[in-house]
Amino acid sequence: MEKKVSGSVINRLPRYYRHLTDLYESGTERISSKELSRRMGVTASQIRQDLNCFGGFGQQGYGYNVEALRAEIANILGLNRGYTAVLVGAGNMGRTFVTNTKFESRGFKLIGVFDNSPEVIGRRIRNFEILDYAQIGRFIKDNRPKMAILTVPKHAMKSVAEDLISMGITAFMNFSYAELEETDGIIVENVHLSDSLMRLSYKISVSEDNSKAREN
Amino acid sequence: MEKKVSGSVINRLPRYYRHLTDLYESGTERISSKELSRRMGVTASQIRQDLNCFGGFGQQGYGYNVEALRAEIANILGLNRGYTAVLVGAGNMGRTFVTNTKFESRGFKLIGVFDNSPEVIGRRIRNFEILDYAQIGRFIKDNRPKMAILTVPKHAMKSVAEDLISMGITAFMNFSYAELEETDGIIVENVHLSDSLMRLSYKISVSEDNSKAREN
């Protein structure tokens, strides 16, 4: 299938995938756009419009085939391509991410966890022994991971990223509070938890102002 | 100032705020839209368009006043309103979030951390003693926090959210893998780390397909 889907649809696809996975795992075979819209809190027409991009999964009055639609979205997102990943930085954030994230069902297989602190090297997170960052060059050469997750401190991010790029890594998920730029041939997803706090602060302040305006 | 700013500009504001904070902390007084665009990886015209919404902070050939622009964005985001927050769920994610996040500079003052597990109640994260979730009703009555951060397991999220709503909490930052719906009067920011993984998977697969296409 041609991958010609708009950016905003792509941004919504992971959410569709999560909801369809919940439905699939609870044994639901079909769902109407109306019911899916209720669950997801978006309009049914938005859903029909989004999912129309992917061909004939919905039929008037019949709904979507949950399993087929989920499989197609997984396919578009590349979740079944078996990309491998290493994680650098086994601090709090790294540990949380390794422990809580269903990597395998989100497109990646985690194959190595690295840190440079003698205090944590050799310890375990889930089934991973934390390896010495000094050895990552060898590991990357041997295992050719596709992607690196950076959960290192802000000040270390740039130099770690440069190291890894020179070793052939071309995709990054970056959790450190500094931003990694997406340059030629390098794919980046920066995650900023504090941006979500700020957006929430904005929403609260708008709602506060609105209710004050109503009182007057 | 009237808060009439489009949703997509609002989504970019936290990012402007982060970059302006870095600049401010490094002592930069003025920055051109060209230089800011280079740092942020967006076009200078996008920046001028976004920041025009907030009045006259930029002058042709003179650049933006970093401190004034940063203060205005903080003001729009409500970061100086001193909202208070409690966190429920002192597991890995909760600990990470309390440890790593600069709450105070992101609009919130964390005033309490709660869990229901006897094993963690009484322990400390940063300067917070973890309190018994059974006591949260009393705490909310006495301290009237504005917002709750949910870092509880997926299966517990709904009931915790309902509890807290009944106790008067109207804003949530939700990290659990289930989605909390934004209903009447309830403000929600859902954070899904695995969505970022899926978006990254998508970007990698597109770039893979493109380079294969170029080879043919």
Side-chain angles (χ1 to χ4, degrees):
Chain A
M1 169 179 219
E2 254 308 293
K3 280 197 180 172
K4 273 270 176 64
V5 185
S6 84
S8 53
V9 178
I10 291 303
N11 276 331
R12 286 192 288 271
L13 281 188
R15 207 161 154 242
Y16 282 113
Y17 184 76
R18 269 190 287 113
H19 281 275
L20 288 164
T21 298
D22 284 350
L23 288 164
Y24 177 68
E25 288 176 352
S26 71
T28 308
E29 291 181 6
R30 302 208 152 261
I31 190 162
S32 64
S33 49
K34 195 176 159 193
E35 170 61 13
L36 191 56
S37 95
R38 200 197 53 76
R39 288 179 69 105
M40 294 186 55
V42 297
T43 66
S45 81
Q46 169 86 80
I47 287 183
R48 282 189 297 267
Q49 201 181 316
D50 283 352
L51 300 185
N52 266 351
C53 309
F54 317 130
F57 289 98
Q59 270 179 266
Q60 198 76 41
Y62 191 58
Y64 296 101
N65 178 321
V66 169
E67 186 175 1
L69 182 58
R70 176 175 177 265
E72 180 58 21
I73 292 179
N75 187 37
I76 291 165
L77 290 171
L79 303 187
N80 40 20
R81 296 199 182 190
Y83 296 134
T84 49
V86 291
L87 179 137
V88 182
N92 273 322
M93 188 70 217
R95 261 198 294 273
T96 303
F97 196 63
V98 171
T99 312
N100 295 4
T101 313
K102 301 170 176 173
F103 282 96
E104 281 72 11
S105 54
R106 304 303 187 247
F108 295 93
K109 185 169 163 33
L110 184 66
I111 59 170
V113 174
F114 293 84
D115 202 291
N116 68 352
S117 156
E119 280 172 48
V120 303
I121 293 166
R123 292 200 190 183
R124 301 189 81 82
I125 310 177
R126 248 175 52 191
N127 49 337
F128 294 96
E129 186 187 331
I130 300 166
L131 304 174
D132 186 352
Y133 182 69
Q135 312 295 325
I136 201 168
R138 177 86 250 164
F139 186 94
I140 289 176
K141 215 167 178 181
D142 292 346
N143 300 283
R144 305 187 141 275
K146 196 84 193 177
M147 188 269 279
I149 300 148
L150 303 181
T151 44
V152 297
K154 181 175 178 175
H155 66 87
M157 189 277 287
K158 278 253 152 73
S159 76
V160 170
E162 282 166 13
D163 273 8
L164 298 179
I165 289 171
S166 77
M167 296 167 185
I169 300 274
T170 56
F172 293 90
M173 178 145 176
N174 174 32
F175 277 100
S176 51
Y177 280 62
E179 212 150 327
L180 181 59
E181 273 178 60
E182 198 158 62
T183 50
D184 231 23
I186 306 297
I187 297 162
V188 177
E189 184 80 15
N190 288 297
V191 180
H192 291 286
L193 297 181
S194 60
D195 285 14
S196 298
L197 272 182
M198 292 193 259
R199 274 193 292 271
L200 190 57
S201 170
Y202 173 77
K203 289 185 197 172
I204 295 173
S205 68
V206 168
S207 112
E208 239 182 23
D209 291 350
N210 287 344
S211 62
K212 267 182 208 143
R214 271 196 302 273
E215 279 164 26
N216 294 336
Chain B
M1 167 178 218
E2 251 309 292
K3 282 198 180 171
K4 271 272 174 65
V5 185
S6 84
S8 53
V9 178
I10 290 303
N11 277 331
R12 286 192 288 270
L13 282 189
R15 211 164 148 239
Y16 282 112
Y17 184 76
R18 268 190 288 112
H19 283 274
L20 288 164
T21 297
D22 284 351
L23 289 164
Y24 176 68
E25 288 175 352
S26 71
T28 308
E29 290 182 8
R30 303 210 152 261
I31 189 161
S32 65
S33 50
K34 196 176 158 193
E35 171 60 13
L36 191 56
S37 97
R38 201 198 52 76
R39 289 179 69 105
M40 295 186 53
V42 298
T43 65
S45 80
Q46 168 86 82
I47 286 183
R48 282 190 296 268
Q49 201 181 316
D50 283 354
L51 300 186
N52 266 349
C53 308
F54 317 132
F57 290 99
Q59 271 178 265
Q60 199 76 39
Y62 191 57
Y64 295 101
N65 177 321
V66 169
E67 185 176 359
L69 182 58
R70 176 175 178 263
E72 181 58 23
I73 292 179
N75 186 36
I76 292 165
L77 291 171
L79 303 187
N80 40 19
R81 296 199 182 191
Y83 298 135
T84 49
V86 291
L87 179 138
V88 182
N92 274 320
M93 188 70 218
R95 259 197 296 271
T96 304
F97 196 63
V98 171
T99 312
N100 296 4
T101 312
K102 300 172 177 170
F103 281 98
E104 281 73 11
S105 54
R106 303 306 187 243
F108 295 94
K109 183 168 164 36
L110 185 65
I111 57 169
V113 174
F114 292 84
D115 203 291
N116 67 354
S117 154
E119 280 172 49
V120 302
I121 293 167
R123 292 200 191 182
R124 300 189 81 81
I125 311 177
R126 249 176 48 192
N127 50 336
F128 294 97
E129 186 187 331
I130 300 168
L131 304 174
D132 185 351
Y133 181 69
Q135 312 295 326
I136 201 170
R138 177 85 250 169
F139 186 94
I140 289 177
K141 216 168 177 180
D142 291 345
N143 300 284
R144 304 186 141 277
K146 195 84 193 176
M147 189 267 279
I149 300 148
L150 303 181
T151 44
V152 297
K154 182 174 175 174
H155 65 87
M157 189 277 287
K158 276 252 153 75
S159 76
V160 169
E162 282 167 12
D163 274 7
L164 298 180
I165 289 171
S166 78
M167 294 167 188
I169 301 275
T170 56
F172 294 90
M173 178 145 178
N174 174 32
F175 277 101
S176 50
Y177 280 61
E179 212 150 328
L180 182 59
E181 274 178 58
E182 198 159 63
T183 51
D184 232 22
I186 305 297
I187 297 162
V188 178
E189 186 79 17
N190 289 296
V191 180
H192 291 285
L193 297 180
S194 60
D195 285 13
S196 298
L197 273 180
M198 292 193 258
R199 274 193 292 270
L200 190 58
S201 170
Y202 173 78
K203 290 184 195 171
I204 296 172
S205 67
V206 168
S207 111
E208 237 183 24
D209 292 351
N210 288 346
S211 63
K212 267 182 206 141
R214 273 196 301 273
E215 279 164 25
N216 294 334

